[in-house]
Amino acid sequence: MGPPKVEILSASKQPFTEETDVMKRDEERMFQASMTRHEHELLKTPLSLAWFVRDVNVTPFAISKNRTLVNRGSLIWNAPAGSLSTGLKLIEFEVSHLNSTAARRDLTFIKVEEPCLIAVINGGSETLVSARGHIDINGGDSIDPGIGGARSSGMKFNWTCFDGGSLVPIYNDTRAIVVPSELSKRTAS
C-alpha cells in the first residue's frame, strides 16, 4: 500500500493565471496540506512529511531541479518573512513511508514580489499653512523593506501638494471633509 493521498490547501495550482497567489517578500505566509489515510493504514509504517521550494523560470518556462527542504514533519509550513527570494516559486508537499522511495506529492505556485516602500512624513501628512507660510517636509524615515533597516538609503522623493483651487466639502455623517479639485495639484521633486 502506498503513501496516503495529499493535497495543498491552495487555490493557486497554475503559475500563469490571475489567481496565482502573490506575496510580498516581507510577509509571512502559512501553507497547509491535508492527507487522506485509510483506517487500515493508521497503525502501519510511520510517515515522512516534507515541504520543498523550487525556483521557476518564466521565460523560457523551466522548473529548477534543485529543491530546497524548508520544513519536515508537519502538515503546515509557516514561511517566515524574507525566507523566499523574489520570483515565481513552486511549493511542494511530499508524503512517504519512512525508508521508502515511494512518495505522493502535491504542489502549488506562488509569486514573491519585492515589498512595498513605506513612506513616512515626519510631522504627519496633513498640514495647513498660510499662503506665504513656510513648511519643511522630511521623508527621511521612509523605509525600503527590501534592503533591510537602512532608512531612505538611495531613495528619491516626489512630493505632491495642493495649493488652493476650489475646495469642495463632502459631508460624511456629521463632519465635513474638504477635498481639493484635481486642477489644484502641483508636484515638486
Side-chain angles (χ1 to χ4, degrees), residues 134-146:
H134 176 77
I135 185 169
D136 289 321
I137 301 175
N138 181 348
D141 285 335
S142 297
I143 302 169
D144 181 352

Side-chain angles (χ1 to χ4, degrees), residues 22-179:
V22 176
M23 72 180 274
K24 301 291 184 190
R25 199 166 175 277
D26 61 340
E27 294 176 345
E28 289 185 12
R29 184 60 59 98
M30 182 178 80
F31 296 92
Q32 186 173 0
S34 69
M35 97 185 147
T36 306
R37 206 168 174 186
H38 299 290
E39 193 173 309
H40 65 278
E41 298 174 318
L42 290 178
L43 300 175
K44 294 197 177 186
T45 312
L47 297 175
S48 171
L49 313 175
W51 289 91
F52 298 93
V53 175
R54 297 179 194 231
D55 288 325
V56 178
N57 190 13
V58 178
T59 311
F61 182 77
I63 298 173
S64 172
K65 292 180 182 179
N66 300 324
R67 61 184 195 164
T68 303
L69 175 66
V70 291
N71 193 19
R72 184 180 293 280
S74 176
L75 288 170
I76 297 173
W77 172 48
N78 287 307
S83 63
L84 296 173
S85 59
T86 58
L88 189 61
K89 306 295 176 198
L90 181 137
I91 309 295
E92 185 178 350
F93 178 70
E94 178 181 278
V95 174
S96 63
H97 290 290
L98 286 178
N99 304 321
S100 171
T101 57
R104 296 248 176 135
R105 296 178 184 90
D106 193 22
L107 56 93
T108 189
F109 291 89
I110 188 162
K111 183 179 179 184
V112 181
E113 296 178 341
E114 285 296 337
C116 296
L117 300 176
I118 301 171
V120 177
I121 300 173
N122 293 346
S125 62
E126 295 181 17
T127 304
L128 293 175
V129 294
S130 68
R132 290 182 174 77
H134 176 77
I135 185 169
D136 289 321
I137 301 175
N138 181 348
D141 285 335
S142 297
I143 302 169
D144 181 352
I147 60 171
R151 299 211 179 275
S152 68
S153 176
M155 292 175 129
K156 293 182 180 179
F157 300 92
N158 289 322
W159 300 99
T160 301
C161 176
F162 296 104
D163 68 345
S166 60
L167 298 177
V168 180
I170 298 174
Y171 294 94
N172 181 1
D173 295 329
T174 58
R175 65 180 195 182
I177 302 168
V178 179
V179 181

